[in-house]
Amino acid sequence: MLGATILVPGFARSGPSLAFDPAFALAFDGSAILAATPDGLLRHDGESWTKLGDVEPPNTLSTHPSRPGVIYAGWQDGSLRRSDDSGESWTAADAGLPGASILSLTMAAQSSGILYASLEGDGLWRSEDDGETWNFVMDRPYLDGAEHDVLSLVSVANETGMGGIWLYAGTRAGLTRVPDCFCRWQDVVAGDAMDALVAGNAPTEAAALPAGEPVEILALAPDAPERILAALPSGLWLSTDAGVNWAQVTPDPATALAVDPADPLHVIAAGPSGLRASRDGGTIWTSFDQSQDS
């Protein structure tokens, strides 16, 4: 059924809306939308959903914000593949990886060709050649007396005194980050991170994410690094200052989340209420089909 428009079993239509649950991962590929579902990898071109080949659904996706058609996908069996034609065909892109489940993928901010992956039970790996080869760069973060897997990963271009490029990580113990020099994991703090680290001062009090909740998904538009969305069991949270202060924008949980690289206020999310879209950064939501008609 390659290239055919399909109505996938479990995706029931009710009027103009499409019930869409669950989804493992969402991503923008240019103006199109990708969704990894139990029935396969799907692509929406603005009018309809198309199933992409016969690949098993990946559990994480990453696309290139300035090169539409370039997609990376990671699977639970540890395989990682790349597509240069919007998912029509795939090639292996996991040389050097140890075979552990790929939990999250992200393109490096401001650095074309650099890709990061978090692996279950392992840590962070980096490819500097579009996924051709990989090298280990950082152990898992040590939080609350234990190492934690990185469930979600985003690269943030934020000038805070440690080189300006950060990897923010969502874990079961909360949010942490590491600069791309990979010197150490640390909390997200206001102001100059190097000064705070050297001085040993207590961080400025901020409106943090809820304590004790896993940060399951992080998402942003690369050109708006100050706006970060985080999906927690308590709902969707937004920071407009690169992760220092947070506010809940909706109590609805999300199983997948993506921000449009061309418009940081355009967000899509999947969850128990179906696939939905927001055009104001996450405050007001409509069903995905209705948003496409607007």
Side-chain angles (χ1 to χ4, degrees), residues 16-211:
S17 65
L18 186 65
F20 195 101
D21 179 48
F24 308 134
L26 294 167
F28 282 88
D29 178 27
S31 60
I33 292 172
L34 303 173
T37 79
D39 297 283
L41 183 59
L42 309 179
R43 178 184 178 87
H44 195 279
D45 60 5
E47 296 183 358
S48 58
W49 290 100
T50 301
K51 187 174 181 180
L52 298 177
D54 295 321
V55 297
E56 292 294 318
N59 57 309
T60 183
L61 291 165
S62 182
T63 54
H64 201 293
S66 61
R67 290 156 59 190
V70 176
I71 305 168
Y72 294 91
W75 278 263
Q76 290 183 348
D77 65 2
S79 61
L80 192 152
R81 301 174 196 169
R82 169 182 167 148
S83 175
D84 292 309
D85 55 11
S86 297
E88 294 294 335
S89 61
W90 298 86
T91 57
D94 49 18
L97 291 177
S101 177
I102 312 292
L103 298 178
S104 186
L105 295 167
T106 190
M107 301 294 301
Q110 301 179 347
S111 299
S112 176
I114 297 180
L115 186 70
Y116 293 101
S118 64
L119 274 59
E120 184 176 22
D122 192 18
L124 299 186
W125 290 70
R126 177 177 62 192
S127 172
E128 298 181 275
D129 52 13
D130 289 313
E132 290 292 326
T133 58
W134 290 85
N135 292 287
F136 179 81
V137 291
M138 193 66 180
D139 290 320
R140 296 182 299 168
Y142 190 83
L143 303 167
D144 295 342
E147 283 192 341
H148 289 271
D149 283 333
V150 173
L151 306 177
S152 52
L153 192 65
V154 291
S155 182
V156 180
N158 183 29
E159 298 295 337
T160 54
M162 296 279 281
I165 304 299
W166 295 81
L167 288 173
Y168 282 45
T171 77
R172 295 195 182 281
L175 179 69
T176 186
R177 67 177 180 176
V178 64
D180 63 358
C181 63
F182 299 104
C183 49
R184 59 169 286 179
W185 292 99
Q186 61 177 273
D187 294 334
V188 180
V189 298
D192 191 299
M194 178 63 83
D195 288 348
L197 185 62
V198 172
N201 296 332
T204 304
E205 187 173 346
L209 289 168

Side-chain angles (χ1 to χ4, degrees), residues 227 229 236 238 249 264-267 278-285:
R227 291 186 61 90
L229 284 165
L236 193 63
L238 171 67
V249 290
L265 298 183
H266 183 201
V267 184
S278 173
R279 295 284 182 173
D280 64 358
T283 302
I284 299 173
W285 295 85

